[in-house]
Amino acid sequence: MATSDPTKSAVVELTAAELQGPGVIFCPNPKMHLWSTHPRVFIDVASTGSGKCPYCGTEYRLKAGEKVHSSH
């Protein structure tokens, strides 16, 4: 079981189905406490497989083996 370490940011693993629009996710995410949120930002996960929130440092990344399908 992981312990809470204030020097490390959270990592959220995603499935391709959880991405919205052109392969983005937004932060703060629905599981975060409303009282401690920051302005909503959209983070591109499709381009590199991961992205980091500039406000809270939460890293969003695709689960191993997940593929983002292009609409081309």
Side-chain angles (χ1 to χ4, degrees):
M1 185 167 147
T3 58
S4 179
D5 182 347
T7 63
K8 292 186 178 182
S9 298
V11 175
V12 178
E13 290 192 317
L14 306 164
T15 63
E18 292 175 290
L19 299 179
Q20 300 175 11
V24 298
I25 194 75
F26 63 86
C27 189
N29 66 62
K31 294 181 181 177
M32 292 180 169
H33 297 287
L34 292 177
W35 59 266
S36 64
T37 60
H38 51 70
R40 180 179 280 189
V41 293
F42 291 86
I43 300 165
D44 178 11
V45 178
S47 297
T48 62
S50 68
K52 195 170 203 175
C53 177
Y55 287 100
C56 67
T58 299
E59 182 181 349
Y60 295 89
R61 65 179 169 213
L62 289 175
K63 290 181 179 179
E66 286 290 315
K67 303 283 185 213
V68 177
H69 298 287
S70 175
S71 60
H72 299 275

